[in-house]
């Protein structure tokens, strides 16, 4: 299961990866179905949420098997691998690391024996009290040795170490002790479970198959396996699924703070969150952007594909024609092949190529979803100028990202965020555009049609709805740092 060529994979675009999501999770309870294949396709639809590693756990009622590896879902599993993963229920995970480095041992699902069977668990989000939880685990088991360095590993150990009568009781004891963002799917040999943090920061939905039930990070993960959308799993809700159907209970009072960035960039355009179709919302954000940040131009082009719906909205509202001026190489993502120095110097061109005949001599509005470090936009502006653009007006369908996310999105450290140190005019100069405009926070929120008090917007405002302990300044490697220091 482990690749012989080492643990890390490489981002062929170099360091400016843009916002990276924390993970996608999927679970299915459907006796008689090929649950591993359903999970494979569910993860395939959620691939955009995490491209570093993928894993599937299945149970045939007697034992749980886990298969996981580094890479894209399509790189990790073969037909033969899936054929060995037989069972009635399964969970799956695709990962981008937010706590712990990108290594095989940190891939999910995690697996632990318990006194009543085996626990396999997959997590989307990021806990903010991992250090405290690690201490609790050490208290419960002085001999505890940690394989993985993730918050998910700690959470799994804590649930497995409870002295309860079954997994459900153990999970319900541990959930109130977890702080931060978590959308979980987990299982023992017989039952599929799902839980969402009280703020519902990361999405999680329930779907129905003819023969069973599905849980997925996004509704697009239901569509691909032919499951009908039933509802969102509520913030603070815990559900169990087995031969008796779906049972729901509240483990905490719901205090919704859904991630605003899911609407801007993270979720797939064909996903629905809080009743809003993401594509439609992004078109509305683009229209709002055109109202707030007009430009004299001949053509509106998106940075594909995440900027496309907002560019459509911008073009419609402004009356400026829409066109595709940049072509995306859809197959560039994670690769195990380290690019040569010559190829690395091509940078953004590995991902995007300009259409000179569309761009030459024109005043261009280029619409993108966000600016993190600014390197991508700088490269795009340079590329468009080289392709003959007369003027370049950059329009961004989110406000400036000034603060790091501690709830499962890895933007960058605060110092690396271009909007942390520079104002809009300074950023414009830094990326080399003729003009630069961001949508306002109010304009963005009103386009989502979700009340602002039900949203997290901390990366734009610095107002964190869930407490951030000071020791989080150590960032995503905190458990590894702790180990080195011997605490
Ligand atoms: S800080 Fe930003 S990215 Fe993180 S959960 Fe809040 S809105 Fe989403």
């Amino acid at each position: 299961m482990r690749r012989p060529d080492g643990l890390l994979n490489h981002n062929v675009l170099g360091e400016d990866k843009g916002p990276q999501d924390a993970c996608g999770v999927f679970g299915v309870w459907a006796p008689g179905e090929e649950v591993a294949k359903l999970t494979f396709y569910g993860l395939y639809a959620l691939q955009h949420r995490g491209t570093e590693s993928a894993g599937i756990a299945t149970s045939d009622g007697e034992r749980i098997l886990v298969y996981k590896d580094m890479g894209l879902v399509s790189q990790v599993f073969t037909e033969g691998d899936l054929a060995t993963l037989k069972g009635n229920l399964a969970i799956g995970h695709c990962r981008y690391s937010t706590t712990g480095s990108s290594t095989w041992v940190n891939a999910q699902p995690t697996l632990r024996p318990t006194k009543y069977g085996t626990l396999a668990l997959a997590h989307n989000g990021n806990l903010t009290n991992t250090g405290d939880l690690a201490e609790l685990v050490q208290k419960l088991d002085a001999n505890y040795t940690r394989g993985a360095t993730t918050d998910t590993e700690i959470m799994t150990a804590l649930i497995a170490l409870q002295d309860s009568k079954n997994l459900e009781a153990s999970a319900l004891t541990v959930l109130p002790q977890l702080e931060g963002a978590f959308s979980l799917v987990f299982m023992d040999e017989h039952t599929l479970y799902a839980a969402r943090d009280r703020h519902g920061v990361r999405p999680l939905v329930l779907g129905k198959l003819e023969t069973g039930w599905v849980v997925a990070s996004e509704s697009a993960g239901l569509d691909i396996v032919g499951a009908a959308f039933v509802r969102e799993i509520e913030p603070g809700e815990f559900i169990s699924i087995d031969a008796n159907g779906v049972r729901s209970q509240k483990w905490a009072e719901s205090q919704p703070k859904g991630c605003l960035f899911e609407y801007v960039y993270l979720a797939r355009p064909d996903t629905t969150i809080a009743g809003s179709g993401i594509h439609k919302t992004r078109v509305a954000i683009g229209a709002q952007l055109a109202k707030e940040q007009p430009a004299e131009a001949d053509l509106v082009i998106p940075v594909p594909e995440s900027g496309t719906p907002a560019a459509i909205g911008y073009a419609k509202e402004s009356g400026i024609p829409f066109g595709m001026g940049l072509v995306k190489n859809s197959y560039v993502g994670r690769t195990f092949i380290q690019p040569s120095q010559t190829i690395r110097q091509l940078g953004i061109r590995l991902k995007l190529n300009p259409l000179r005949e569309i761009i030459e001599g024109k005043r261009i509005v280029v619409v993108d979803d966000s600016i993190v470090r600014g390197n991508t936009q700088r490269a795009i502006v340079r590329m468009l100028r080289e392709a003959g653009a007369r003027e370049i007006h950059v329009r961004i369908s989110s406000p400036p990202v000034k603060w790091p996310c501690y709830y499962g999105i890895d933007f960058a450290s605060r110092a690396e965020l271009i909007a942390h140190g520079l104002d809009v005019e300074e950023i414009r100069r830094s990326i080399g555009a003729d003009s630069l405009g961001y949508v306002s926070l109010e304009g963005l929120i009103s386009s989502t049609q979700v009340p602002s008090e039900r949203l997290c917007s901390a990366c734009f405002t610095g107002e964190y709805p869930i407490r951030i302990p000071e020791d989080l300044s150590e960032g995503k490697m905190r458990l590894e740092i702790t180990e080195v220091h011997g605490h």
Side-chain angles (χ1 to χ4, degrees), residues 27-31 88-89 168 186-188 190-194 205-207 212-215 233 238-248:
V28 54
W29 185 92
N88 306 321
L89 66 156
E168 180 168 329
F186 54 107
M187 61 190 275
D188 56 20
H190 310 285
T191 308
L192 172 66
Y193 300 95
V205 295
L206 177 67
W213 298 89
V214 176
V215 176
I233 294 172
F238 176 87
I239 65 169
S240 328
I241 303 172
D242 59 18
N244 298 317
V246 178
R247 292 182 308 287
S248 161

Side-chain angles (χ1 to χ4, degrees), residues 133 136-137 140 154-162 174 177-178:
L133 298 172
L136 277 179
V137 168
L140 288 172
I154 297 293
M155 180 189 327
T156 309
L158 200 54
I159 296 172
L161 288 167
Q162 298 303 307
V174 170
Q177 300 173 47
L178 308 178

Side-chain angles (χ1 to χ4, degrees), residues 245-378:
V246 178
R247 292 182 308 287
S248 161
Q249 52 191 302
K250 272 301 184 77
W251 65 268
E253 198 188 322
S254 166
Q255 298 165 8
K257 289 286 177 192
C259 169
L260 184 53
F261 222 81
E262 294 275 354
Y263 297 86
V264 173
Y265 167 79
L266 299 171
R268 278 172 57 133
D270 51 349
T271 275
T272 300
I273 299 180
S276 306
I278 293 296
H279 175 84
K280 203 170 144 212
T281 302
R282 289 181 187 158
V283 172
I285 300 169
Q288 181 66 26
L289 180 59
K291 281 186 208 147
E292 294 182 10
Q293 303 287 347
E296 294 271 316
D298 306 310
L299 188 68
V300 177
I301 67 167
V303 175
E305 282 147 2
S306 52
T308 304
I312 292 170
Y314 193 102
K316 214 169 157 200
E317 178 63 31
S318 65
I320 303 169
F322 173 89
M324 295 303 291
L326 294 164
V327 175
K328 184 173 181 184
N329 177 3
S330 305
Y331 298 98
V332 169
R334 297 272 148 183
T335 171
F336 287 97
I337 311 296
Q338 177 77 274
S340 71
Q341 192 54 29
T342 318
I343 291 177
R344 193 183 280 281
Q345 279 163 1
L346 290 172
I348 196 78
R349 281 191 189 256
L350 287 171
K351 192 176 162 192
L352 296 170
N353 216 8
L355 283 169
R356 176 173 274 276
E357 65 270 28
I358 304 279
I359 290 163
E360 203 164 17
K362 297 217 177 72
R363 298 170 301 166
I364 305 280
V365 172
V366 55
V367 180
D368 205 350
D369 54 81
S370 55
I371 301 183
V372 178
R373 293 177 177 84
N375 298 345
T376 301
Q377 288 71 25
R378 195 175 301 114

